[in-house]
Amino acid sequence: MDFQRIARPQIKDLPVYSPGMGTDEVRRRYGVTDVIKLASNENPLGPSPMALEAIKGSLEEVSVYPDGACTVLRARLAEKLGVPAERFIFGNGTDEVIDFIFFAFFNEGDAAVMGDPTFSSYFLSGMTMGASLRYVPLHEHSHHVEEMLSAVDGATKAVFVGTPHNPTGTICDREDLETMLGGLPPDVLLVWDEAYYEYVDRPGYPESLDYIMEYPNLVVLRTFSKVYGLAGLRVGYGIAHPQIVDYLERVRPPFNVNSLAQVAACAALDDTGHVERSRAVNAEGKRFLASELGRLGMDPIPTQANFVLFRFDHLIESLTPKLLARGIIVRDGASLGYPGYVRMTIGTGEQNAAVIGVIEEILAEEEGG
Ligand SMILES: *Cc1c(COP(=O)(O)O)cnc(C)c1O
């Protein structure tokens, strides 16, 4: 069979996403019992107990197709966020909403502007549709909005901005958002990805939803995968003008968000205590890691998310494999456009301290030769 002939040319060079090694594989391969996984920015406190209860209460319903419109979750979010219900689009994770944006609006050659480095879903989804990807280098690990605006031309359909950005943890301030909204042609989408919204504690972080009624080209993305601790259930959403939502709905599979994800997300929204604990643990871990990684000379980039990107290559040749062999899974920056860096999810106090201890051991061994 000529497999090459039937594959679409756009996907022939598309890399398959690699999430890295899982906990079980590390246990087996390295014979370590205690594995700490801080590679995918999951909530170290786990899901809300209220979400777990809600899932248990709904198990019997899994023989029935879910509500494709996410009616209950939609109404809850509309009320909580003060946004009309018809402005929501739900996805099997926010990743799927990013797919919808490309499926609905991008023909071969249409351009998407994004930072460099940036979150892989933006360019992987874009490549699938044969989009032309315009990468604009970060400045000091942050988006440079004027340069991104300069990269917009007649072929551009959307600009993608993660804030906090992945993999750097940096945010755009209000001025950045207003510069973007003011500078973009009205028919170019601004996809403002706030997957880590709940973790931000820096004043000056704009309330993007305040702009949603005035700017029909603004699309805000949020998720239940991070602070809400539901990454495994896959539920995320976008907020946009009803006409944009209408187009995204046309490319959405009918039952894309499963019923357990929907009830869990509703319950997680109600569990404000769990969100507060998660934020507090993260804030404490952020302070600890900034100070400890700084002390070790690893230049942690000040983060507004639940992960921290830090540098090792001026101190040691490789770090990720050495951590892995000791049961600590982090993400090597090389796979994120940041060679010589590591992206580590902020864990519990105990996990963070363990990682710092192991890094110190590794550095000491290196010095000992
Ligand atoms: C984690 C993440 C998302 C959300 O992913 P889900 O598909 O909802 O799990 C979106 N954008 C960025 C930048 C992320 O890091």
Side-chain angles (χ1 to χ4, degrees):
M1 166 160 187
D2 184 0
F3 298 106
Q4 289 279 337
R5 192 189 66 80
I6 63 165
R8 291 173 57 233
Q10 293 88 342
I11 69 157
K12 283 182 182 166
D13 296 322
L14 197 60
V16 174
Y17 179 82
S18 158
M21 252 185 251
T23 305
D24 287 338
E25 192 180 352
V26 170
R27 266 198 203 104
R28 257 185 285 116
R29 220 190 252 217
Y30 298 101
V32 285
T33 38
D34 295 327
V35 173
I36 299 178
K37 182 171 181 283
L38 297 171
S40 300
N41 307 338
E42 293 139 340
N43 188 330
L45 301 186
S48 142
M50 284 165 65
L52 290 181
E53 276 309 302
I55 292 168
K56 283 180 197 154
S58 297
L59 284 174
E60 300 289 327
E61 287 157 38
V62 297
S63 58
V64 179
Y65 282 106
D67 168 15
C70 296
T71 313
V72 178
L73 178 57
R74 177 186 298 269
R76 286 287 182 79
L77 280 170
E79 192 196 342
K80 183 181 156 71
L81 302 176
V83 170
E86 74 269 18
R87 287 184 176 247
F88 289 83
I89 174 83
F90 290 89
N92 191 253
T94 303
D95 279 351
E96 196 187 29
V97 180
I98 296 168
D99 266 345
F100 296 162
I101 292 168
F102 280 102
F103 293 170
F105 298 115
F106 280 71
N107 273 315
E108 177 88 36
D110 288 345
V113 172
M114 58 192 71
D116 182 26
T118 195
F119 181 52
S120 61
S121 289
Y122 309 155
F123 55 83
L124 293 178
S125 292
M127 286 164 84
T128 309
M129 296 312 290
S132 152
L133 305 172
R134 308 261 168 85
Y135 296 106
V136 179
L138 304 180
H139 282 225
E140 290 171 7
H141 315 295
S142 301
H143 285 103
H144 195 291
V145 293
E146 284 87 5
E147 283 182 15
M148 294 184 86
L149 281 174
S150 306
V152 172
D153 63 15
T156 308
K157 289 280 183 76
V159 177
F160 288 79
V161 177
T163 173
H165 191 43
N166 184 358
T168 56
T170 53
I171 59 167
C172 287
D173 60 19
R174 181 183 322 280
E175 203 187 322
D176 292 331
L177 176 59
E178 292 183 353
T179 303
M180 273 288 189
L181 289 170
L184 275 180
D187 55 355
V188 174
L189 298 177
L190 177 60
V191 181
W192 200 253
D193 182 351
E194 298 182 330
Y196 302 95
Y197 170 85
E198 296 83 359
Y199 289 109
V200 176
D201 57 15
R202 168 120 37 94
Y205 184 59
E207 200 51 77
S208 60
L209 296 182
D210 289 348
Y211 297 82
I212 209 93
M213 303 305 270
E214 193 182 341
Y215 291 94
N217 59 334
L218 176 61
V219 180
V220 174
L221 303 180
R222 303 258 176 100
T223 184
F224 285 92
S225 295
K226 306 288 158 58
V227 84
Y228 291 105
L230 300 177
L233 285 175
R234 314 303 301 127
V235 51
Y237 58 98
I239 299 171
H241 189 277
Q243 194 67 54
I244 301 284
V245 168
D246 181 65
Y247 285 122
L248 299 175
E249 282 289 342
R250 296 170 199 223
V251 296
R252 182 180 65 77
F255 305 110
N256 61 323
V257 181
N258 74 76
S259 51
L260 300 181
Q262 292 186 39
V263 295
C266 286
L269 276 181
D270 289 339
D271 195 349
T272 51
H274 186 260
V275 171
E276 280 317 307
R277 280 190 296 281
S278 304
R279 296 180 61 198
V281 164
N282 192 69
E284 177 54 32
K286 182 165 77 172
R287 272 192 297 277
F288 173 79
L289 289 171
S291 122
E292 290 297 284
L293 292 167
R295 177 175 66 80
L296 297 175
M298 296 191 133
D299 307 340
I301 297 170
T303 181
Q304 284 292 298
N306 69 342
F307 56 84
V308 58
L309 187 67
F310 61 91
R311 195 176 161 204
F312 64 83
D313 67 349
H314 55 305
L315 299 176
I316 188 169
E317 203 173 313
S318 77
L319 184 58
T320 320
K322 295 184 170 104
L323 288 170
L324 210 50
R326 289 162 172 83
I328 293 168
I329 316 176
V330 293
R331 190 63 67 90
D332 196 297
S335 64
L336 305 169
Y338 262 96
Y341 286 74
V342 155
R343 191 195 68 192
M344 167 190 171
T345 305
I346 297 168
T348 60
E350 201 181 331
Q351 290 174 326
N352 299 332
V355 174
I356 293 297
V358 170
I359 293 178
E360 284 194 286
E361 256 173 55
I362 292 170
L363 290 176
E365 270 173 30
E366 191 76 3
E367 274 171 26

